[in-house]
Amino acid sequence: MTELSELMAGAARLRDRGHGRLVSYSRKVFIPLTHLCRDVCHYCTFAERPQPGKPAYLSPDDVLAIARAGQAAGCTEALFTLGDKPELRYGAARDALVALGHPTTISYLTAMCDLVLRETSLLPHANPGVMTREEIAALREVSASQGIMLESTSERLCEKGGVHFGSPDKHPAVRLETIRLAGELKVPFTTGILIGIGEMREERVAALEAIARLHDRYGHIQEVIVQNFRAKPDTKWADAEEPDLEDLLWTIATARRILGPDMNIQAPPNLSPGVYPRLVDAGLNDWGGVSPVTPDHVNPEAPWPAIEELARMSSEMGKVLVNRLAVYPSYVRAPDVWLAPEVAIRVRRMSDAEGYAREDDWAPGNTEPPPAPRLRLGAVDAGIARLVERASGGQRLDPPEIMQLFAARDVDYRHVTGAADALRQAVSGDVIRYVVNRNINYTNICYFRCRFCAFSKGRTHEDLRGAPYDLALEEVARRAVEAWQRGATEVCLQGGIHPDYTGETYEAICRTIKQAVPGMHIHAFSPLEVTQGAATLQTPIPDFLAKLKEAGLGTLPGTAAEILDDEVRAIICPDKINTAQWLDVQRAAHKLGLRTTSTIMYGHVESSLAWARHLLALRDLQVETGGFTEFVPLPFVHMEAPMYRQGRARRGPTFREAVIMHSVARLVLHPAITNIQTSWVKMGPAGAAICLQSGANDLGGTLMNESISRAAGTQHGQEFPPDAMEKLIHSIGRVPQQRDTLYRPVDEERRAASFVAEDLAPIVLTPPRKKVMA
């Protein structure tokens, strides 16, 4: 193996350690705000002199027209390119700025970034050259990221005869100071080197090491570009020799070696057509910005590759092309640190759990059809295959391994979902079960302030759906009787934590139902309600659960779990019970012979690490007690959720994330929890069908009166009757079976009653009868 081959192989191993199979790009539109520049770089065709009749700057209307064309083409980034401080050289630039109402080019740039941020869905990325602290800070408020190419740290290039002679903004110390200031100000920053402009390899290494030192200090360098010089006509370097492919590969590999596995290293694909596999071999993990709308204004002679072609060629190298935002995933996952508030809101809403751009417009609760996965890779990743095999064999995976499964895309995604479905077949066969039940939400008044909840009401929740209510016991009994008449075997009771409720209230609800319908199974009271009820009676939780069981409680729902990770709970429900308390209530219930369900609510602020911790907490408790009947993934419905309305959350999981949650749960929880349920309310019937082919074996309940998800904004119905349930199950070649809460088949009388159910009578929402806490 040659020295270069060895260097590249080592770089590729480093890259794979940090980025796995993913190669990213940004779907962007280029906005050349001005071609004027005070510098005179000897290789540049972007910079122009003022021309009579040609505006010195794009107008706001021009900027918006380009941005909107990008938005229509599915772009997520608006890259502003421009020359350095042209007003310091050209009177025409100064006059134009006066007419635009701005003192400097960067002031106008800041206004245009703000315009694009306000008027389009794009994220601005600003690349204006050397800046002051104040300019960087102002741009940070209206852009997702910024950048400046270091190009080189060679002072020689600024001397007479060098390519940067006569270009004051190209002095290395000046550019390094801009990069340093961006680090101090917590700006996700792009930089890089330009090779083949007269520098020596030792000087390239020095430039890369200078970048590495700044990143080690501030952690803000989000990508490093290795750009190869291309000779252009009508420049002083028109006849200069361009760096050859080996030189480019050496530099990319060296950059990876110096900057490490996690750095994003990019080489523009349009400057190296036909050799993409070699660039990947050298350690690249990003193709940079690729525009379906505008040319590369810096290298107009080099057209962009088609994105589909880039995806195909990436797949030939065993890589999955993924669209990123203008800010890279590690910064997306910490928006409060790295982004201004208004930008952070936009980024959260545009990103998935890993920090990449969302893949589609689907969201839990909406009626968009589920997107079909695109499969380009020919072979499954060996590491993914090994993890799937171990999990299918019942081995306990650790959090990083589970995170790898959650991150699976392309054929790896199909392998995980397919393996989960095969495991479902081995455990449950072709039977898909469902229960005929009715939701009874006895009150929507709650003194807790969970930031995801659009159901609870009070004096501070008047802008959300519905009015506060507190059901009379007579209405609870009436609904239970009606549910029984319609074939139900279960009523599921949950509500807000009413400030006037005590443990006796919960007991009275159970006794009322049992008195009205002795045969009805009561599935009721989350661990939060149990904890609150026990506290009001000053009774230990096991004793209170025993009281509820004596009053008729049959099983407990596993809600109020949200995410069993206290770092996440501190954000979404800081006043709620913590992870240990939730698990303790479940443990106590199991010891008393009360079975419970388990749930997760995902797709808001958490990461896949939290998902992994959650699944392992459930698995470990199930191994200890055996008390869980099922696991129910509940994707976050964002529409009316307060934390989404306030810009503090994502818009639920992507469809890929929603489906793979069911698959990974099947694998990770095996063999402890055998039933994986999908929520038709949140996934929709079509999405639920896909989950039933990806590891789930249960369709949940018919519900009759679903209101919690409806309050959050789901557009799916309030009831999914048995004939519709069974039609859906038959449509995927499975066998439907009506079950009770404990997964036993129901008798023929109950089943027959469920198929001839009359329409529901109008519900009565009893107004609050007591003072409600604000």
Side-chain angles (χ1 to χ4, degrees):
M1 182 179 288
T2 66
E3 181 179 344
L4 177 59
S5 297
E6 291 176 357
L7 178 65
M8 290 170 60
R13 287 192 296 271
L14 276 177
R15 183 267 324 285
D16 290 347
R17 191 200 313 168
H19 301 277
R21 301 190 88 177
L22 300 185
V23 174
S24 55
Y25 80 103
S26 176
R27 194 178 183 99
K28 68 176 67 173
V29 62
F30 284 73
I31 303 178
L33 194 64
T34 180
H35 283 270
L36 303 183
C37 182
R38 74 162 173 167
D39 295 319
V40 289
C41 302
H42 298 180
Y43 47 77
C44 180
T45 57
F46 177 81
E48 300 174 353
R49 294 177 177 273
Q51 300 176 33
K54 182 176 182 179
Y57 295 85
L58 293 180
S59 70
D61 288 343
D62 294 332
V63 168
L64 271 184
I66 296 170
R68 286 172 174 155
Q71 177 178 299
C75 297
T76 57
E77 175 182 346
L79 169 60
F80 283 88
T81 55
L82 57 156
D84 255 289
K85 300 179 179 60
E87 66 272 20
L88 298 182
R89 182 179 180 187
Y90 298 115
R94 293 191 292 272
D95 293 342
L97 287 170
V98 169
L100 291 165
H102 288 273
T104 66
T105 298
I106 293 181
S107 169
Y108 183 53
L109 168 66
T110 303
M112 293 303 95
C113 286
D114 182 54
L115 181 68
V116 167
L117 191 66
R118 286 187 288 105
E119 298 294 332
T120 76
S121 63
L122 304 183
L123 292 170
H125 170 83
N127 200 19
V130 173
M131 293 177 282
T132 65
R133 175 187 294 274
E134 292 73 22
E135 289 169 335
I136 296 170
L139 271 175
R140 186 183 190 274
E141 296 300 309
V142 293
S143 64
S145 53
Q146 299 174 38
I148 185 173
M149 287 289 284
L150 175 59
E151 297 195 9
S152 177
T153 53
S154 172
E155 293 286 352
R156 294 185 306 103
L157 303 184
C158 297
E159 297 170 358
K160 191 170 184 178
V163 293
H164 290 153
F165 180 69
S167 301
D169 298 297
K170 291 301 177 78
H171 282 276
V174 174
R175 298 179 88 76
L176 286 169
E177 178 63 6
T178 296
I179 301 171
R180 188 192 69 79
L181 289 171
E184 283 190 351
L185 292 170
K186 296 290 184 185
V187 174
F189 209 76
T190 293
T191 190
I193 61 173
L194 179 60
I195 69 169
I197 56 172
E199 83 293 346
M200 297 182 290
R201 282 189 172 183
E202 293 83 358
E203 290 170 320
R204 294 181 201 168
V205 170
L208 292 168
E209 289 176 342
I211 293 169
R213 285 192 296 273
L214 285 168
H215 184 62
D216 288 343
R217 184 174 178 185
Y218 299 107
H220 69 304
I221 305 295
Q222 65 167 3
E223 68 178 330
V224 173
I225 302 169
V226 177
Q227 182 169 331
N228 46 315
F229 159 74
R230 295 287 296 269
K232 299 176 177 64
D234 301 321
T235 67
K236 291 183 178 179
W237 270 51
D239 298 322
E241 184 178 355
E242 298 177 350
D244 61 19
L245 178 60
E246 284 198 3
D247 204 17
L248 177 60
L249 297 175
W250 180 89
T251 309
I252 294 171
T254 299
R256 175 63 67 192
R257 179 180 61 80
I258 292 171
L259 296 165
D262 296 325
M263 180 57 71
N264 298 293
I265 295 178
Q266 173 200 134
N270 59 318
L271 300 187
S272 302
V275 295
Y276 298 160
R278 299 286 285 153
L279 304 184
V280 173
D281 281 342
L284 169 150
N285 74 289
D286 188 84
W287 294 117
V290 178
S291 179
V293 179
T294 52
D296 179 353
H297 291 285
V298 177
N299 299 282
E301 77 287 352
W304 297 115
I307 292 171
E308 283 299 314
E309 179 68 4
L310 199 58
R312 184 189 65 78
M313 288 186 284
S314 297
S315 69
E316 289 177 357
M317 294 300 299
K319 300 298 178 185
V320 179
L321 186 70
V322 59
N323 186 17
R324 62 168 172 83
L325 301 175
V327 57
Y328 276 81
S330 61
Y331 304 92
V332 171
R333 294 194 295 267
D336 292 332
V337 174
W338 292 102
L339 301 172
E342 291 302 313
V343 179
I345 290 172
R346 175 74 57 83
V347 165
R348 287 188 186 98
R349 293 177 174 175
M350 295 173 69
S351 68
D352 65 13
E354 295 175 71
Y356 290 103
R358 295 181 72 89
E359 302 159 301
D360 50 63
D361 290 329
W362 183 91
N366 74 17
T367 55
E368 288 288 328
R374 291 186 176 185
L375 304 181
R376 293 187 176 93
L377 292 175
V380 175
D381 179 74
I384 291 288
R386 285 192 296 270
L387 291 176
V388 166
E389 183 178 8
R390 287 175 51 208
S392 298
Q395 293 187 41
R396 185 184 189 275
L397 304 184
D398 61 28
E401 292 171 327
I402 297 170
M403 291 168 69
Q404 288 183 54
L405 295 181
F406 277 125
R409 297 173 187 254
D410 204 278
V411 296
D412 296 339
Y413 165 84
R414 179 56 59 85
H415 183 72
V416 171
T417 58
D421 197 48
L423 187 56
R424 183 270 316 156
Q425 171 71 31
V427 171
S428 300
D430 285 331
V431 174
I432 300 295
R433 296 174 176 85
Y434 69 95
V435 61
V436 179
N437 65 347
R438 182 173 200 168
N439 272 16
I440 302 178
N441 304 118
Y442 41 80
T443 184
N444 63 354
I445 297 167
C446 187
Y447 65 84
F448 281 80
R449 293 292 182 263
C450 298
R451 293 170 181 163
F452 55 83
C453 182
F455 172 74
S456 67
K457 303 295 181 287
R459 293 175 184 168
T460 61
H461 294 73
E462 291 161 355
D463 62 325
L464 301 181
R465 292 184 175 188
Y469 64 81
D470 178 12
L471 296 189
L473 290 177
E474 294 80 7
E475 174 64 10
V476 173
R478 187 197 68 77
R479 294 191 196 184
V481 170
E482 185 180 35
W484 183 263
Q485 293 169 345
R486 299 179 89 245
T489 57
E490 169 196 307
V491 287
C492 177
L493 296 107
Q494 296 180 91
I497 307 301
H498 194 299
D500 297 322
Y501 278 19
T502 69
E504 293 176 346
T505 309
Y506 301 120
E507 291 181 54
I509 291 171
C510 289
R511 294 188 192 281
T512 296
I513 292 171
K514 277 298 181 181
Q515 184 175 0
V517 194
M520 186 69 80
H521 182 96
I522 301 176
H523 181 61
F525 312 134
S526 73
L528 178 60
E529 290 160 292
V530 170
T531 301
Q532 186 256 0
T536 63
L537 300 179
Q538 298 183 326
T539 299
I541 285 173
D543 294 349
F544 179 54
L545 285 169
K547 286 176 178 287
L548 292 173
K549 185 178 181 181
E550 188 275 332
L553 179 65
T555 53
L556 277 70
T559 47
E562 328 315 350
I563 294 287
L564 296 177
D565 183 321
D566 288 333
E567 293 177 15
V568 178
R569 298 179 79 80
I571 299 170
I572 67 172
C573 51
D575 55 350
K576 214 166 189 175
I577 56 175
N578 62 28
T579 297
Q581 291 169 320
W582 189 93
L583 293 169
D584 284 345
V585 172
Q586 299 285 345
R587 183 179 289 108
H590 297 170
K591 287 181 178 179
L592 285 169
L594 288 167
R595 303 292 296 279
T596 73
T597 65
S598 59
T599 66
I600 186 173
M601 185 192 71
Y602 61 106
H604 37 89
V605 304
E606 82 298 351
S607 68
S608 60
L609 174 60
W611 300 345
R613 290 171 174 169
H614 185 107
L615 291 179
L616 290 177
L618 296 179
R619 177 191 170 103
D620 292 345
L621 183 58
Q622 181 74 340
V623 168
E624 177 188 337
T625 68
F628 290 126
T629 56
E630 69 213 59
F631 174 69
V632 190
L634 300 172
F636 172 61
V637 179
H638 71 283
M639 296 82 163
E640 298 293 336
M643 64 183 183
Y644 178 79
R645 286 158 57 105
Q646 296 160 5
R648 304 295 301 174
R650 301 193 300 276
R651 51 191 299 266
T654 65
F655 188 73
R656 179 189 66 84
E657 291 168 341
V659 173
I660 208 167
M661 175 61 75
H662 295 74
S663 304
V664 174
R666 168 65 68 186
L667 294 166
V668 171
L669 297 175
H670 178 70
I673 298 177
T674 56
N675 296 306
I676 308 298
Q677 182 184 123
T678 188
S679 169
W680 61 266
V681 176
K682 295 176 171 63
M683 295 298 303
I690 292 172
C691 292
L692 290 171
Q693 298 171 87
S694 304
N697 69 302
D698 192 84
L699 197 45
T702 58
L703 299 183
M704 295 190 196
N705 288 123
E706 197 295 312
S707 58
I708 293 177
S709 295
R710 293 286 292 179
T714 182
Q715 299 171 39
H716 302 300
Q718 292 182 279
E719 181 176 16
F720 201 16
D723 57 344
M725 284 260 189
E726 298 205 355
K727 182 179 180 181
L728 176 65
I729 293 166
H730 283 303
S731 74
I732 60 171
R734 303 284 170 76
V735 179
Q737 184 183 93
Q738 234 181 75
R739 63 167 175 85
D740 67 9
T741 311
L742 296 174
Y743 281 78
R744 300 170 300 200
V746 302
D747 60 39
E748 186 54 36
E749 181 276 330
R750 288 287 81 202
R751 175 175 168 80
S754 73
F755 278 87
V756 294
E758 296 183 0
D759 291 342
L760 286 165
I763 60 174
V764 176
L765 297 178
T766 314
R769 288 156 290 171
K770 296 182 180 181
K771 182 179 179 181
V772 180
M773 291 177 62

